[in-house]
Amino acid sequence: MATLVILDLAGDLHRGVNVTLDLHGEQEPALRSIARTRGSLPPASELGADYQQWQALYRSLSLVFRLGEVVNPMPTGSQADLIAACNQAARQLAIAFNQWLSHESFRPIWEQCLVKLPTGEPIRWIVQTEDI
């Protein structure tokens, strides 16, 4: 049985996010937490913009590989250019996301994960949020 991690995110990218980490061990009942830690993440509006950019490019890839009549015309440029742009947007999103998670206010969450989570064993993650 795997360790269960519940990460509760309350807030949004414009105002900041309060984070609660609950760890549940293999042998513990599901409702009993073995560790609870609180932290926060700062506002990161640019992260939302990076996500929207990647999402738009990713969705446009489906037009490249779709057979039949296309309702929305394909963006200009070759397939290779579109794939390269999507990959670049994904890299930018990953960089921005990792920078956000490396903020000092998130450190208590990160440190708790490093200390309490087993290495080389399965971990089940649940991320709870009201703001997608």
Side-chain angles (χ1 to χ4, degrees):
M1 192 169 175
T3 301
L4 173 64
V5 178
I6 300 174
L7 197 61
D8 185 35
L9 307 174
D12 61 48
L13 292 176
H14 301 291
R15 294 179 306 201
V17 178
N18 291 318
V19 182
T20 303
L21 173 78
D22 278 316
L23 300 176
H24 301 269
E26 294 180 18
Q27 308 302 323
E28 300 297 323
L31 297 177
R32 187 169 159 208
S33 177
I34 60 171
R36 174 175 270 187
T37 305
R38 296 185 194 280
S40 63
L41 288 163
S45 299
E46 67 283 351
L47 183 60
D50 288 340
Y51 173 74
Q52 289 174 346
Q53 173 69 17
W54 167 79
Q55 186 180 48
L57 287 164
Y58 183 78
R59 286 183 175 163
S60 68
L61 285 177
S62 69
L63 299 175
V64 171
F65 300 104
R66 184 175 293 163
L67 297 175
E69 185 178 340
V70 176
V71 177
N72 296 322
M74 187 172 73
T76 57
S78 71
Q79 289 179 358
D81 291 342
L82 188 56
I83 291 169
C86 185
N87 286 334
Q88 177 58 34
R91 283 189 294 276
Q92 176 57 39
L93 176 60
I95 289 168
F97 187 68
N98 285 321
Q99 285 175 341
W100 189 50
L101 293 179
S102 68
H103 193 271
E104 185 66 30
S105 62
F106 191 70
R107 179 159 287 180
I109 301 289
W110 180 251
E111 288 176 351
Q112 190 74 292
C113 288
L114 290 174
V115 170
K116 297 279 186 178
L117 292 178
T119 56
E121 295 179 25
I123 299 171
R124 294 182 302 142
W125 287 84
I126 296 176
V127 178
Q128 300 177 145
T129 183
E130 291 187 15
D131 184 358
I132 238 164

